[in-house]
Amino acid sequence: MAVPRSEYLSKVWADGIFADRVVFVTGGAGSICSAQTRALVHLGANACIIGRNADKTEAAAREIAKVRKGAKVIGIGGVDVRSFDSLKSAADRCAKELGAIDFVIAGAAGNFVSPLSALSPNGFKAVIEIDTIGTFNTIKATIPYLVQSASRNPNPSPSGATGGRIISVSATFHYTGMPLQSHVSAAKAAVDSLMGSVALEYGPLGITANSIAPGAIEGTEGMERLSSSQLEKKQRTEGVPSGRWGTVRDIADATVFVFSDAGNYVNGTTVVVDGAGWRRHGSLAVGLDANMKYPDFLIRGEISKYLKGGKSTGSKL
Ligand code: COA
């Protein structure tokens, strides 16, 4: 059974606004990016979703295609965004099979919770390579198609059809800094900066390049990794001014806005979708629970044992 629309798309968007558009999505089988893709496909787009795990990526593509009769969604697995050549092949295949690439979502990301003391040079490098270099590789592999799409779809377009748009999925940690997230903060700061440069250099060719920065989003692998399973729901959400965690639909709706005719003049910026969470420093409570208070756990040299994929501190800076 297809996922109900209310879980990934609000009622405000008209069916068909993305008819005949093609979106290329890295990390498209993940919880946030699959909702973004599902929303665009629901509204008329076809899609290529890219991932490392072939089975997971192909299964997600079949699932997403169920949202609209006649939708074409291709899952291209076995692609690591750290490899430019494999991304380039995926982009060429997508354009060949679906006819174009009009929109790109650079969503592939790596994350785990670690203090600097336990982060090896290779651990830091892995996240920089996936997030920052992976975003660069994605843009580099798809930009020729986006430039073609932008020239076919002037901004603003008389018909309302849009093209030549890129969104990277960023984060908010680097606005204030976040303990246990030095690697991701550095990587996403670079991603935001890169998007600004893309807007400056390719804006004159009709491209828009923006980041969307999700806050804490319910039910995502990211938050499963960042949040201690011992934290009560009330404690998790009390630091967020809007009083709740976000939903994948919140991110999908922002994506639709930026790619649509309503987002024509949004360029070179970050759309923050976090319920004002970043303004309350530490509201995401990465790695915190009743026994893990800042800065005591750092001084003790421990991290919560209730974190998915967390390692105990091994090395010292
Ligand atoms: N704490 C500290 N270091 C860690 C770690 C953790 N929890 N998890 C991995 N690392 C280190 C490894 O020890 C390794 O360094 P080393 O060679 O010095 O030991 C380095 O990171 C690379 O790990 P490896 O597992 O070989 O890399 P990978 O390329 O297979 O995986 C990751 C990349 C580490 C980012 C992995 O978490 C991943 O695949 N994530 C994808 C999914 C994801 O993060 N989703 C959430 C998106 S928000």
Side-chain angles (χ1 to χ4, degrees), residues 112-129:
F112 51 81
V113 171
S114 176
L116 280 160
S117 60
L119 194 55
S120 69
N122 197 36
F124 189 84
K125 184 167 155 231
V127 172
I128 296 286
E129 281 186 342

Side-chain angles (χ1 to χ4, degrees), residues 24-30 47-62 73-81 83 85-91 93-94 97 108:
F24 181 91
V25 187
T26 67
C48 293
I49 63 169
I50 317 305
R52 274 199 284 177
N53 181 314
D55 291 345
K56 185 178 165 191
T57 307
E58 286 162 20
R62 284 193 295 275
V73 183
I74 302 175
I76 307 179
V79 179
D80 190 321
V81 292
S83 157
D85 290 344
S86 64
L87 262 176
K88 172 91 174 56
S89 305
R93 179 179 159 198
C94 182
E97 293 190 23

Side-chain angles (χ1 to χ4, degrees), residues 25-301:
V25 187
T26 67
S31 21
I32 288 181
C33 297
S34 63
Q36 291 172 296
T37 311
R38 196 171 266 121
L40 298 167
V41 170
H42 185 115
L43 297 174
N46 292 320
C48 293
I49 63 169
I50 317 305
R52 274 199 284 177
N53 181 314
D55 291 345
K56 185 178 165 191
T57 307
E58 286 162 20
R62 284 193 295 275
E63 189 57 37
I64 293 168
K66 290 181 190 166
V67 301
R68 181 175 53 79
K69 201 161 178 277
K72 290 185 203 148
V73 183
I74 302 175
I76 307 179
V79 179
D80 190 321
V81 292
R82 288 171 281 195
S83 157
F84 173 73
D85 290 344
S86 64
L87 262 176
K88 172 91 174 56
S89 305
D92 293 346
R93 179 179 159 198
C94 182
K96 189 159 179 239
E97 293 190 23
L98 297 183
I101 297 176
D102 299 294
F103 306 136
V104 169
I105 298 174
N111 200 354
F112 51 81
V113 171
S114 176
L116 280 160
S117 60
L119 194 55
S120 69
N122 197 36
F124 189 84
K125 184 167 155 231
V127 172
I128 296 286
E129 281 186 342
I130 296 170
D131 291 23
T132 308
I133 297 177
T135 299
F136 171 83
N137 287 342
T138 302
I139 293 167
K140 191 85 187 155
T142 56
I143 201 85
Y145 297 110
L146 289 171
V147 168
Q148 288 169 13
S149 172
S151 80
R152 283 193 306 272
N153 298 286
N155 178 352
S157 121
S159 67
T162 53
R165 300 197 178 183
I166 315 167
I167 287 172
S168 69
V169 181
S170 186
T172 61
F173 303 128
H174 49 295
Y175 304 169
T176 57
M178 179 61 70
L180 312 179
Q181 289 290 281
S182 61
H183 42 324
V184 177
S185 300
K188 296 298 195 185
V191 166
D192 288 356
S193 173
L194 177 62
M195 299 311 283
S197 298
V198 175
L200 283 167
E201 295 192 16
Y202 285 95
L205 299 182
I207 302 284
T208 71
N210 295 287
S211 294
I212 288 181
I217 304 296
E218 285 288 354
T220 58
E221 187 183 347
M223 286 318 293
E224 253 181 56
R225 285 171 180 251
L226 297 179
S227 174
S228 164
S229 60
Q230 293 297 292
L231 207 60
E232 297 297 327
K233 183 157 187 181
K234 184 173 172 303
Q235 291 168 298
R236 287 200 277 133
T237 55
E238 64 195 0
V240 183
S242 289
R244 64 171 175 91
W245 277 13
T247 62
V248 292
R249 187 180 103 169
D250 292 321
I251 308 303
D253 276 331
T255 304
V256 171
F257 163 64
V258 171
F259 283 162
S260 76
D261 196 33
N264 289 344
Y265 206 48
V266 180
N267 196 10
T269 195
T270 301
V271 179
V272 183
V273 186
D274 78 331
W278 77 265
R279 295 183 179 277
R280 293 282 317 277
H281 177 72
S283 67
L284 282 188
V286 170
L288 302 186
D289 57 37
N291 299 312
M292 294 289 149
K293 301 284 184 214
Y294 179 85
D296 307 357
F297 70 92
L298 291 165
I299 293 163
R300 289 202 306 271

